[in-house]
Amino acid sequence: MLERARTLVAEADDLETQVKLGINQLSGVIRLSAPIDLGENRIVPLIDEFMDLHPDVTVELVLSDGYVDIVGQGLDLAIRFGALKDSSLMIRKLGDNRRVICAAPSYTELHGTPRHPDDLVNHNCLVMQFGQAVDREWSFRIGKQICELSVSGNRIANSGAQIRRWCLAGRGIALKSIWDVRENLEDGSLVELLKEFAPPSESALQILFPRATYPIRRVRAFIEFLAERI
């Protein structure tokens, strides 16, 4: 009921905008959430570009690496990695994703390069925390099996951006989305490790939005914009 009421208000606002400014003019608020690292480095520049094209649009951005209740928080959409578990949400896939083990050259020069996942027991791993859960179990393909190995380290953070900063500074080995570190791998500031043990990728980068109501015009336009640019 609350979600339907929010939609009716948004649709009324959308209609009023079309009457006042014309059918091609977008205005109003778009509320979205994105992971911290991806949001700061990839999504924010696209938000700025979209708002330059549509100056009457207001964006409320929530950066979080933890679970986000899209409906409960009144969000129009969220950008997330991984499989969809909430059947009340629709998805728009933006691209495939894989997670990579990586480190700065300064780290491997000082501490050596792990040649097998078992070697990580002797390395400082930078660990993400999602809410109360600490992501210490990293997956690898060893032979024909997918194995989870426990890692440890002296730096734990609930921000993927902070994990990447520590990794770039040579503080340890990180498990990161390729979307977050692709440029770092390309310019050599990070190197991929244990690539031959990487498990098959089953995750994706996607936009999530409530199933109950079709997105209003400005949200649809923003979703299409993101899909085109990303």
Side-chain angles (χ1 to χ4, degrees), residues 140-214:
F140 298 93
R141 185 184 65 240
I142 301 178
K144 296 183 179 180
Q145 301 293 321
I146 303 298
C147 304
E148 288 194 347
L149 300 179
S150 295
V151 301
S152 61
N154 61 6
R155 285 176 168 82
I156 301 172
N158 65 350
S159 163
Q162 184 56 54
I163 293 293
R164 184 162 65 96
R165 283 192 286 268
W166 278 334
C167 193
L168 286 166
R171 302 297 186 181
I173 295 174
L175 175 62
K176 290 288 296 175
S177 162
I178 188 64
W179 288 83
D180 293 334
V181 297
R182 180 179 285 114
E183 285 78 10
N184 300 126
L185 296 174
E186 290 174 351
D187 66 21
S189 55
L190 292 177
V191 292
E192 185 172 357
L193 308 175
L194 303 173
K195 186 175 183 179
E196 62 271 33
F197 298 98
S201 176
E202 296 181 350
S203 66
L205 177 63
Q206 54 201 9
I207 297 175
L208 311 178
F209 51 92
R211 180 185 293 273
T213 54
Y214 194 66

Side-chain angles (χ1 to χ4, degrees), residues 4-32:
R4 181 55 183 163
R6 287 173 174 160
T7 301
L8 290 173
V9 171
E11 289 175 346
D13 177 62
D14 198 29
L15 180 59
E16 183 180 5
T17 296
Q18 293 183 46
V19 171
K20 288 183 177 179
L21 302 178
I23 195 168
N24 295 320
Q25 186 73 34
L26 299 177
S27 74
V29 179
I30 300 174
R31 301 175 179 87
L32 73 146

Side-chain angles (χ1 to χ4, degrees), residues 1-220:
M1 182 67 71
L2 177 59
E3 179 62 24
R4 181 55 183 163
R6 287 173 174 160
T7 301
L8 290 173
V9 171
E11 289 175 346
D13 177 62
D14 198 29
L15 180 59
E16 183 180 5
T17 296
Q18 293 183 46
V19 171
K20 288 183 177 179
L21 302 178
I23 195 168
N24 295 320
Q25 186 73 34
L26 299 177
S27 74
V29 179
I30 300 174
R31 301 175 179 87
L32 73 146
S33 173
I36 296 173
D37 205 359
L38 181 81
E40 290 179 347
N41 292 285
R42 287 185 176 270
I43 304 304
V44 166
L46 294 178
I47 289 173
D48 291 339
E49 185 179 348
F50 184 81
M51 294 178 71
D52 286 342
L53 294 172
H54 306 285
D56 293 314
V57 167
T58 298
V59 170
E60 295 180 6
L61 174 63
V62 178
L63 294 176
S64 171
D65 287 326
Y67 170 76
V68 174
D69 182 354
I70 297 177
V71 175
Q73 293 184 225
L75 297 170
D76 295 304
L77 66 146
I79 300 166
R80 283 292 183 271
F81 296 111
L84 176 63
K85 297 180 180 179
D86 188 343
S87 61
S88 70
L89 300 175
M90 298 287 287
I91 68 169
R92 172 71 180 267
K93 183 178 176 181
L94 295 176
D96 293 321
N97 178 54
R98 68 183 181 95
R99 301 175 80 192
V100 300
I101 307 291
C102 55
S106 60
Y107 177 88
T108 57
E109 289 169 7
L110 186 61
H111 301 284
T113 301
R115 302 299 180 185
H116 188 277
D118 289 341
D119 296 340
L120 291 177
V121 70
N122 299 313
H123 287 270
N124 192 46
C125 294
L126 307 169
V127 179
M128 271 292 296
Q129 181 169 346
F130 299 97
Q132 299 300 313
V134 180
D135 187 22
R136 297 185 186 277
E137 304 296 320
W138 292 4
S139 296
F140 298 93
R141 185 184 65 240
I142 301 178
K144 296 183 179 180
Q145 301 293 321
I146 303 298
C147 304
E148 288 194 347
L149 300 179
S150 295
V151 301
S152 61
N154 61 6
R155 285 176 168 82
I156 301 172
N158 65 350
S159 163
Q162 184 56 54
I163 293 293
R164 184 162 65 96
R165 283 192 286 268
W166 278 334
C167 193
L168 286 166
R171 302 297 186 181
I173 295 174
L175 175 62
K176 290 288 296 175
S177 162
I178 188 64
W179 288 83
D180 293 334
V181 297
R182 180 179 285 114
E183 285 78 10
N184 300 126
L185 296 174
E186 290 174 351
D187 66 21
S189 55
L190 292 177
V191 292
E192 185 172 357
L193 308 175
L194 303 173
K195 186 175 183 179
E196 62 271 33
F197 298 98
S201 176
E202 296 181 350
S203 66
L205 177 63
Q206 54 201 9
I207 297 175
L208 311 178
F209 51 92
R211 180 185 293 273
T213 54
Y214 194 66
I216 59 176
R217 195 166 61 101
R218 59 178 174 271
V219 177
R220 294 200 305 270

